[in-house]
C-alpha cells in the first residue's frame, strides 16, 4: 500500500493520494485513513468520482450512516444528503447537526458539480482552538454548557432561489430540536478536548443573553482565526472526510449564480461528554412534542 499524506495547512488538513476509495478498501487502508483523520481532522482525496452506491459503501466502513434528522435523503439512497446551492448555502461556521445529542462523528462530502471559481470550503480545528487558550479561559470554558437548536439565527444567503430556499428551510425546521452540550467536548477516541460551538448555538446556559453573546464571540473567534483553518479548492470527483467531533466548517458564498452541488453522508456519533464527564442532554423534541408527520416520514425513509 502506498498512500501518501501531504499536509495542506499547519494545524489541520491533509491530502491523501494513492488510494481509490470505496466499500472494498482493505482493513489496513481503512486503519490508515482513520488514524490520519484523528490526527489531521480533515482529509482530502482527489479524483475519486464515486457514485451514490460507492459513497454509501465507503461511508459504512466508518459505522452506521444516519440520515439528516429532518431533511429527506436523496432519491434511491438511504442516507445521502443532496446539497444544491440553489436551495441552501452553508455559508456560516458550524459543526454538522449539533442540535441533536449524538450528532454525527464523521461527515463525508463529495463534489458533484463545482463552480469554475469560488465555492471553496474552509475547516477549523476546534481542538487546537481549545489547546491554545490561556489557562484561565480554559477553566472558564470547561464549566460552560450551551443550548443548540435547528431554529438557529439565520439570514438568507445571497443568490439562493427564493422558493427553493423556503422549501429547504421548512423541511429543515419541520421538527424543532434542542440539545444542551458542554462547551468543551472530550474526544471519545483521542481524549483531546475541543470547543463545541457553531451556528446552531442559541445560548450559553445560566448567563444573560448579553453575556452569552460575548462568551460565544470570545471562544468562536479562537476557532475561526485564519491561523487555525484550512481551505480547499474543490474539483469534481473530490471526496473530503472530516472528524465532526473536532472541527467546524463553512462554505464560501462567492460564486454568484454558478451551479454548486455536493452530496454528503454522516456517520452516527456518540453522545458527547464534558471535562467533568457530564453528558449532553437532548431537550426537544420530547415524546409529547414530537411531530407525527416527521415520524411517518422517517418510517417511509426506512422502508
Ligand atoms: Fe456542514
Amino acid at each position: 500500500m502506498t498512500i501518501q499524506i501531504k499536509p495542506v495547512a499547519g494545524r489541520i488538513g491533509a491530502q491523501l493520494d494513492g488510494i481509490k476509495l470505496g466499500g472494498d478498501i482493505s482493513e489496513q487502508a481503512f486503519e490508515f485513513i482513520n488514524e490520519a483523520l484523528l490526527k489531521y481532522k480533515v482529509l482530502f482525496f482527489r479524483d475519486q468520482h464515486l457514485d451514490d452506491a460507492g459513497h454509501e459503501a465507503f461511508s459504512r466502513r466508518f459505522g452506521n450512516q444516519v440520515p439528516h434528522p429532518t431533511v429527506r435523503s436523496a432519491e434511491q439512497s438511504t442516507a445521502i444528503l443532496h446539497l444544491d446551492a440553489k436551495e441552501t448555502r452553508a455559508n456560516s461556521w458550524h459543526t454538522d447537526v449539533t442540535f441533536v445529542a449524538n450528532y454525527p462523528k464523521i461527515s463525508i462530502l463529495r463534489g458533484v458539480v463545482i463552480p469554475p471559481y469560488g465555492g471553496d470550503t474552509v475547516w477549523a480545528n476546534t481542538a487546537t482552538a481549545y489547546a491554545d487558550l490561556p489557562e484561565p479561559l480554559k477553566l472558564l470554558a470547561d464549566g460552560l454548557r450551551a443550548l443548540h437548536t435547528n431554529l438557529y439565527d439565520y439570514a438568507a444567503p445571497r443568490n439562493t432561489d427564493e422558493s427553493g430556499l423556503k422549501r429547504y428551510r421548512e423541511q429543515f425546521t419541520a421538527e424543532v430540536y434542542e440539545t444542551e452540550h458542554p462547551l468543551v467536548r472530550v474526544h471519545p477516541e483521542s481524549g483531546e478536548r475541543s470547543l463545541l460551538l457553531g451556528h446552531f448555538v442559541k445560548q450559553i446556559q445560566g448567563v444573560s443573553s448579553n453575556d452569552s453573546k460575548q462568551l460565544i464571540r470570545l471562544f468562536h473567534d479562537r476557532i475561526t482565526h485564519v491561523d487555525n483553518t484550512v481551505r480547499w479548492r474543490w474539483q469534481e470527483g473530490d471526496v473530503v472526510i472530516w472528524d465532526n467531533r473536532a472541527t467546524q466548517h463553512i462554505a464560501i458564498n462567492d460564486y454568484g449564480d454558478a451551479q454548486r452541488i455536493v452530496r454528503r453522508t454522516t456517520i452516527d456519533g456518540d453522545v458527547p461528554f464534558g471535562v467533568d464527564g457530564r453528558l449532553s442532554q437532548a431537550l426537544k423534541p420530547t415524546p409529547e412534542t414530537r411531530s407525527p408527520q416527521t415520524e411517518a416520514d422517517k418510517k417511509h425513509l426506512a422502508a
Side-chain angles (χ1 to χ4, degrees), residues 81 83 90 92 94-97 107 109 121 123 199-200 242 244 248-251 264:
L81 185 66
L83 294 161
S92 63
H94 65 286
T95 297
D96 288 333
V97 202
S107 296
L109 192 66
T121 303
W123 285 263
H199 70 196
F200 297 118
W242 63 92
N244 198 47
Q248 282 197 30
H249 56 281
I250 182 169
R264 185 182 91 188

Side-chain angles (χ1 to χ4, degrees), residues 84-106:
D84 185 331
K86 274 191 270 175
E87 297 182 335
T88 180
R89 299 188 181 207
N91 63 328
S92 63
W93 283 101
H94 65 286
T95 297
D96 288 333
V97 202
T98 60
F99 48 87
V100 302
N102 57 334
Y103 66 86
K105 66 174 183 176
I106 291 169

Side-chain angles (χ1 to χ4, degrees), residues 234-254:
W234 286 94
Q235 291 174 9
E236 285 176 10
D238 286 357
V239 171
V240 180
I241 309 175
W242 63 92
D243 186 340
N244 198 47
R245 299 162 292 191
T247 54
Q248 282 197 30
H249 56 281
I250 182 169
I252 298 174
N253 187 8
D254 61 349

Side-chain angles (χ1 to χ4, degrees), residues 8-302:
V8 179
R11 291 196 189 185
I12 174 173
Q15 182 174 338
L16 267 60
D17 293 326
I19 182 160
K20 183 80 188 126
L21 302 181
D24 57 353
I25 57 165
S26 68
E27 193 53 31
Q28 192 191 8
F30 172 77
E31 288 299 329
F32 188 90
I33 291 171
N34 201 43
E35 250 175 61
L37 184 62
L38 291 178
K39 180 173 176 189
Y40 293 101
K41 314 283 195 289
V42 51
L43 303 178
F44 307 103
F45 301 83
R46 290 282 193 210
D47 297 319
Q48 297 296 324
H49 301 281
L50 290 176
D51 59 12
D52 286 347
H55 187 166
E56 292 204 279
F58 175 61
S59 296
R60 279 194 291 268
R61 294 296 298 271
F62 291 88
N64 291 326
Q65 297 186 105
V66 276
H68 192 275
T70 54
V71 180
R72 256 187 219 107
S73 299
E75 276 169 37
Q76 272 137 28
S77 83
T78 49
I80 288 190
L81 185 66
H82 177 82
L83 294 161
D84 185 331
K86 274 191 270 175
E87 297 182 335
T88 180
R89 299 188 181 207
N91 63 328
S92 63
W93 283 101
H94 65 286
T95 297
D96 288 333
V97 202
T98 60
F99 48 87
V100 302
N102 57 334
Y103 66 86
K105 66 174 183 176
I106 291 169
S107 296
I108 302 175
L109 192 66
R110 74 181 212 266
V112 180
V113 181
I114 300 301
Y117 53 86
D120 297 359
T121 303
V122 183
W123 285 263
N125 185 336
T126 57
T128 46
Y130 177 84
D132 289 348
L133 288 175
E135 210 52 39
L137 289 184
K138 280 186 185 163
L139 285 173
L140 172 62
D142 288 348
L144 296 173
R145 291 174 72 89
L147 187 70
H148 295 233
T149 177
N150 56 333
L151 272 183
Y152 64 104
D153 187 16
Y154 175 85
R158 274 174 294 139
N159 298 105
T160 39
D161 170 87
E162 209 173 299
S163 61
L165 177 70
K166 189 165 173 275
R167 249 194 336 268
Y168 188 84
R169 186 76 187 151
E170 276 171 7
Q171 248 195 84
F172 198 90
T173 56
E175 179 90 71
V176 174
Y177 285 82
E178 284 187 356
T179 295
E180 185 187 284
H181 288 297
L183 194 80
V184 179
R185 169 174 197 180
V186 180
H187 197 288
E189 288 185 65
S190 68
E192 268 185 322
R193 295 177 180 188
S194 63
L195 292 172
L196 172 44
L197 282 167
H199 70 196
F200 297 118
V201 172
K202 186 179 183 183
Q203 170 78 35
I204 302 290
Q205 302 289 61
V207 302
S208 72
S209 60
N210 188 43
D211 287 343
S212 172
K213 266 188 215 143
Q214 299 196 54
L215 285 166
I216 291 169
R217 166 70 56 90
L218 171 70
F219 293 113
H220 201 256
D221 284 354
R222 305 287 182 135
I223 297 168
T224 60
H225 192 285
V226 283
D227 289 356
N228 197 45
T229 64
V230 62
R231 178 169 176 155
W232 186 247
R233 170 89 279 265
W234 286 94
Q235 291 174 9
E236 285 176 10
D238 286 357
V239 171
V240 180
I241 309 175
W242 63 92
D243 186 340
N244 198 47
R245 299 162 292 191
T247 54
Q248 282 197 30
H249 56 281
I250 182 169
I252 298 174
N253 187 8
D254 61 349
Y255 48 98
D257 290 328
Q259 248 202 320
R260 185 180 187 274
I261 295 173
V262 291
R263 288 194 156 199
R264 185 182 91 188
T265 53
T266 45
I267 311 301
D268 210 2
D270 311 273
V271 176
F273 56 91
V275 172
D276 57 2
R278 221 175 125 200
L279 291 165
S280 300
Q281 197 187 354
L283 304 173
K284 275 186 191 169
T286 60
E288 294 76 41
T289 64
R290 186 176 287 279
S291 145
Q293 183 67 45
T294 311
E295 281 300 291
D297 281 353
K298 278 184 187 156
K299 281 200 190 101
H300 168 74
L301 278 175

